[in-house]
Amino acid sequence: QHYFIQSNLRMSRVVSKHVFDFKPLGQYDEATAALESEMEQMMEAPEAKEMMDMYAALTIKDDPESDQAYIEMMRGFTDESMFAGNPAFQRGEDQCEESKLSVPTTHDGEYSVEVEVYTPKTLAAKKKRAAYIYAHGGGGVSLSAAMCRSPMKCTALDMNVVAFNVDYRIAPETKSPNNIKDFYEVVKYVHAHAEKLGVDASKVVIGGDSGGGYICLGAMVLMAEAGQTDWVKLAVIGMPMTDDYCFSDPLAMTVEERKGAPDTKKWWKLIAADFEAQKSSPYLFPGKASEEILAKFPPTIIIECEFDMFITEATRLATRLRREGRLLELVVIPGSTHTSLFTPGSESGKKLEEVLTTISKEYVHADLKWA
């Protein structure tokens, strides 16, 4: 059941500054092509092939035992060392202070959502800092705030903000909508305690990447329904999972979408408490939010890769948001993939850093324009 704030007043349309002029390459850039080739060669090793065959088999099975084996295997591919210690992120470690925050919640039992806070040393003495509240990726079923600590410290520097890295609960242990409510409660807390946290309440930005993009978009649905859009200045959403496009005919998909569809279908079914009952809900699929709800979203920037596995659904959502006057920018980084964008020190990753720096200058720390 959804609860809507009834209003006859339409929100003003936000105006894009059109600061990005990337041209599509139509092919991987050289660094991404080399990365893809290296990964393919690694997968040709007998042990790697055997492991990936086992993983692929678990992906298409649909029973509790296989689901648990899949989750254990997927989470086994990652740990806190995946970014930590990488020279590409050393500047963040050197130039940021780290603290922690616990946000008490009651929507799924009494539970405190843990938040890691990264403050650039240049902002430490200031009382009103811009804030970026972030949901990490991992398809909604893996990774953690701690695993994404190093790159997020660099993001805090690039955007000149205090970054709040939210350790929301993941599936299958926590189901929709309680996962998005964890993130929503942190946004609510930062808004309510902005002065105590040293945050400028007029410069609160929310965002997330990949599965974290879904988490953030779901929280935006909750805020829109409750008339709380003014809690945040804008949203920056990267390569987001948004809807059930992965369940459609693979013949119409891009190569990357077709390769990623089995995993993405698995993630959605693990996230849902009852997939059939929830498949029309914007709490599970934010891309299915009505025009009335989208029109109440905060001003939004969507960042995508030219060859991302979520490019179609993200572009479709961007088109709907633009029509409702809520899209600031759709940024598509040319020649890049989901993997290359998150590879430490990659050319795609460097472009993403430049994009975030530009967003910070043109939107986070500048006035927005309204029609």
Side-chain angles (χ1 to χ4, degrees):
Q1 187 174 6
H2 309 293
Y3 300 89
F4 298 92
I5 300 297
Q6 298 297 324
S7 173
N8 293 323
L9 297 176
R10 190 174 183 83
M11 299 179 72
S12 299
R13 296 179 65 86
V14 71
V15 176
S16 173
K17 296 180 182 179
H18 299 293
V19 294
F20 299 100
D21 189 30
F22 291 126
K23 300 294 191 298
L25 285 181
Q27 60 185 5
Y28 294 159
D29 62 42
E30 288 187 12
T32 298
L35 176 64
E36 291 291 321
S37 177
E38 180 182 347
M39 291 174 63
E40 287 179 4
Q41 290 177 16
M42 289 174 58
M43 291 301 103
E44 289 176 0
E47 288 185 3
K49 188 176 186 306
E50 181 180 355
M51 179 180 65
M52 294 313 296
D53 286 346
M54 183 186 306
Y55 180 80
L58 290 171
T59 302
I60 60 175
K61 290 183 179 180
D62 189 16
D63 62 85
E65 185 177 343
S66 297
D67 287 349
Q68 185 58 37
Y70 171 87
I71 284 294
E72 291 175 1
M73 196 169 188
M74 182 180 179
R75 292 177 183 174
F77 294 151
T78 60
D79 58 35
E80 292 191 23
S81 66
M82 61 185 294
F83 294 129
N86 192 291
F89 301 128
Q90 189 58 47
R91 62 191 179 95
E93 298 293 340
D94 295 340
Q95 299 175 49
C96 282
E97 298 176 352
E98 182 179 339
S99 59
K100 294 184 183 297
L101 177 69
S102 292
V103 176
T105 69
T106 58
H107 56 268
D108 184 25
E110 293 188 1
Y111 181 82
S112 291
V113 180
E114 299 301 317
V115 184
E116 296 195 355
V117 184
Y118 317 129
T119 304
K121 293 178 180 179
T122 55
L123 299 179
K126 296 184 178 181
K127 294 184 178 180
K128 296 185 71 173
R129 293 86 56 93
Y132 180 40
I133 307 172
Y134 177 78
H136 64 80
V141 300
S142 69
L143 300 185
S144 66
M147 292 179 189
C148 301
R149 180 182 298 139
S150 294
M152 274 310 299
K153 287 181 178 179
C154 291
T155 297
L157 295 176
D158 294 335
M159 297 183 71
N160 195 31
V161 297
V162 177
F164 293 79
N165 188 7
V166 181
D167 202 28
Y168 61 90
R169 286 172 286 183
I170 57 178
E173 294 84 357
T174 297
K175 299 290 190 175
S176 172
N178 291 319
N179 50 1
I180 65 172
K181 288 183 178 179
D182 279 359
F183 188 78
Y184 167 86
E185 289 295 335
V186 175
V187 178
K188 180 180 178 180
Y189 184 92
V190 172
H191 170 74
H193 299 86
E195 185 175 355
K196 183 180 77 171
L197 295 169
V199 166
D200 184 343
S202 70
K203 292 183 179 179
V204 175
V205 181
I206 59 176
D209 293 319
S210 192
Y214 145 64
I215 294 292
C216 185
L217 287 167
M220 289 160 65
V221 171
L222 294 174
M223 287 188 288
E225 289 182 345
Q228 297 160 337
T229 296
D230 60 350
W231 285 359
V232 301
K233 182 175 183 179
L234 67 145
V236 180
I237 310 295
M239 299 68 69
M241 295 165 53
T242 70
D243 62 37
D244 54 359
Y245 178 72
C246 59
F247 291 91
S248 65
D249 189 343
L251 292 176
M253 296 179 181
T254 67
V255 170
E256 292 72 24
E257 290 170 339
R258 193 158 53 245
K259 288 180 178 179
D263 269 313
T264 312
K265 288 190 285 188
K266 188 75 166 184
W267 300 339
W268 283 127
K269 288 192 173 182
L270 290 168
I271 291 168
D274 183 331
F275 186 81
E276 288 302 315
Q278 292 178 292
K279 65 183 181 182
S280 296
S281 170
Y283 300 157
L284 181 62
F285 295 126
K288 295 187 178 185
S290 68
E291 280 68 29
E292 290 76 16
I293 290 300
L294 294 180
K296 296 174 185 175
F297 266 26
T300 301
I301 295 171
I302 294 179
I303 302 172
E304 259 296 355
C305 319
E306 184 176 359
F307 298 100
D308 188 37
M309 58 186 179
F310 303 130
I311 185 68
T312 296
E313 58 198 86
T315 302
R316 181 164 56 191
L317 178 60
T319 300
R320 296 184 67 208
L321 286 169
R322 184 184 292 112
R323 182 180 182 128
E324 300 306 321
R326 311 315 292 163
L327 185 72
L328 285 169
E329 302 271 358
L330 171 60
V331 187
V332 182
I333 298 177
S336 61
T337 65
H338 206 86
T339 302
S340 70
L341 209 62
F342 294 117
T343 299
S346 67
E347 289 304 310
S348 299
K350 291 175 183 177
K351 287 179 183 176
L352 177 59
E353 291 174 1
E354 294 171 2
V355 166
L356 293 174
T357 300
T358 301
I359 288 172
S360 174
K361 176 183 176 182
E362 297 292 340
Y363 292 111
V364 178
H365 299 285
D367 292 336
L368 301 184
K369 296 181 179 180
W370 302 89

